[in-house]
Amino acid sequence: MFKRCLVLGGKGFIGSHLVNAILSTGMPVRVFDRAEAESLIAPALSSQVEMIEGDFEDAASVAAALEGCDICFHLISTTLPKSSNDAPGYDLQSNALSTINLLEQAHKTGLKKIIFLSSGGTVYGTSNYIPINESHPTDPLCSYGITKLTIEKYLELYRSLYGIDYTVLRVSNPYGEGQRLSANQGVVAVFLGRALNNEKITIWGDGSVVRDYIYIGDVICSLMAVMNYSGNEHIFNIGSGIPLTLLELLATVESVVGKKLMLEYMPTRSLDVPINVLDVTRAKQELNWMPKVSLSDGLLRMKSWAIR
């Protein structure tokens, strides 16, 4: 059993849900995040969290955050899939190189395990078959996916060199309460936010693009499940496993909000692969995990949170 947990990026959408879940187990939690980042951690639980604010690119700050921790959740990403190709050098430096520094510090401080949130939607690239399992070729079409994959490879290197255990979760498209409705990432949140505000929704392509959407509660259950996993697998797909076109997603959003959506169609983007649906069989078998919340139920919960 681990004694103290570090959550890198713990103020954010996924991180705050994770911190709340870890605290419910009684384990001490330390959060590392930027000072200017808005904290989504439940106010009633904030006093139980040890907060360290700093820049992930600053080695001294990362070293201080790691001190005394034996497990680390790495949720930090400084870029987005659609903008990462605009500055691949920054993507590499701020994410991959900073993670290598994290691994160096982890080796020095005696960290036992790192759990890394990768990207099931970008590391595989164009699919050769559906659903995509963990053995599928990895040929990302954006810098974001390449950087995520690079970090995965370095995690394996440091495991083989220094025995630092790790688990990679290749998550599909998470959505849920706490996700910013006005942001540029997270198509479910963007669609729901625009629908609630009677704003036009932009669709890139004809709406036939197929994706896999997973509710935040199911993502958190997978993160908690790997904390004490000691099997032979190091990489797990985490998704709903259910293919859904953008038009089908929009129809569900329309049903949940109860009004007609205003749509605007734009040309297809080169970074958008036609179909991405994850095979989550390995996670079901090894972690005894499976997604439980349907898209409609998840959207209803998200809507209730948004209009509270």
Side-chain angles (χ1 to χ4, degrees), residues 21-22 43 52 78 143 192 244:
I22 297 171
I52 294 184
T78 65
S143 178
L192 181 62
L244 207 71

Side-chain angles (χ1 to χ4, degrees):
M1 189 67 183
F2 299 105
K3 297 177 181 178
R4 181 180 295 276
C5 176
L6 171 64
V7 180
L8 302 174
K11 287 183 179 181
F13 165 48
I14 297 177
S16 59
H17 282 275
L18 176 60
V19 168
N20 295 342
I22 297 171
L23 286 173
S24 71
T25 70
M27 181 185 297
V29 179
R30 177 182 294 160
V31 166
F32 178 86
D33 214 324
R34 294 174 294 111
E36 65 271 22
E38 178 187 0
S39 179
L40 299 176
I41 299 169
L45 298 175
S46 317
S47 61
Q48 301 177 40
V49 177
E50 181 186 359
M51 188 70 67
I52 294 184
E53 296 178 330
D55 191 325
F56 188 46
E57 295 183 67
D58 178 33
S61 295
V62 172
L66 280 168
E67 197 65 43
C69 294
D70 47 10
I71 182 170
C72 170
F73 287 88
H74 180 0
L75 312 180
I76 288 179
S77 179
T78 65
T79 59
L80 302 176
K82 69 177 184 179
S83 61
S84 61
N85 287 349
D86 296 335
Y90 171 72
D91 188 18
L92 185 66
Q93 178 177 334
S94 60
N95 290 302
L97 292 181
S98 294
T99 300
I100 292 172
N101 171 66
L102 166 69
L103 289 167
E104 280 292 299
Q105 300 298 334
H107 164 52
K108 294 175 183 176
T109 59
L111 190 78
K112 295 177 181 177
K113 186 169 186 174
I114 295 180
I115 298 169
F116 174 60
L117 204 69
S118 188
S119 171
T122 63
V123 299
Y124 295 111
T126 303
S127 57
N128 294 343
Y129 53 83
I130 295 294
I132 299 169
N133 60 21
E134 292 86 351
S135 300
H136 188 283
T138 47
D139 297 301
L141 300 180
C142 61
S143 178
Y144 182 90
I146 293 172
T147 297
K148 289 287 190 182
L149 195 59
T150 300
I151 291 172
E152 291 185 16
K153 298 298 184 182
Y154 274 102
L155 287 167
E156 173 57 27
L157 175 64
Y158 275 73
R159 184 196 68 82
S160 63
L161 289 177
Y162 307 115
I164 302 174
D165 190 17
Y166 75 92
T167 302
V168 170
L169 297 185
R170 291 175 175 169
V171 179
S172 59
N173 297 279
Y175 70 93
E177 304 93 319
Q179 197 170 23
R180 288 188 298 160
L181 303 183
S182 59
N184 292 319
Q185 184 181 24
V187 66
V188 175
V190 171
F191 286 0
L192 181 62
R194 290 187 173 275
L196 290 173
N197 292 321
N198 297 308
E199 296 173 346
K200 188 179 295 183
I201 295 174
T202 301
I203 305 298
W204 302 94
D206 61 4
S208 63
V209 164
V210 175
R211 291 292 181 270
D212 175 346
Y213 303 97
I214 183 165
Y215 179 64
I216 184 62
D218 288 330
V219 176
I220 298 307
C221 286
S222 72
L223 285 162
M224 297 297 290
V226 297
M227 282 186 71
N228 295 303
Y229 173 72
S230 57
N232 295 323
E233 303 293 349
H234 291 283
I235 297 175
F236 295 97
N237 282 340
I238 300 297
S240 68
I242 299 174
L244 207 71
T245 67
L246 277 181
L247 293 179
E248 289 171 327
L249 170 61
L250 286 164
T252 308
V253 171
E254 194 169 81
S255 173
V256 166
V257 299
K259 54 187 172 184
K260 193 72 176 175
L261 305 181
M262 296 183 291
L263 306 181
E264 174 187 45
Y265 290 87
M266 300 292 286
T268 302
R269 301 177 299 184
S270 59
L271 61 86
D272 293 326
V273 298
I275 181 169
N276 179 275
V277 181
L278 301 181
D279 183 342
V280 295
T281 302
R282 179 183 291 179
K284 290 178 179 179
Q285 293 175 343
E286 293 286 325
L287 304 176
N288 194 30
W289 168 92
M290 65 183 301
K292 297 178 180 179
V293 180
S294 68
L295 178 66
S296 57
D297 285 346
L299 276 171
L300 283 169
R301 297 181 191 185
M302 198 173 178
K303 176 192 171 186
S304 297
W305 163 79
I307 63 176
R308 70 197 187 287

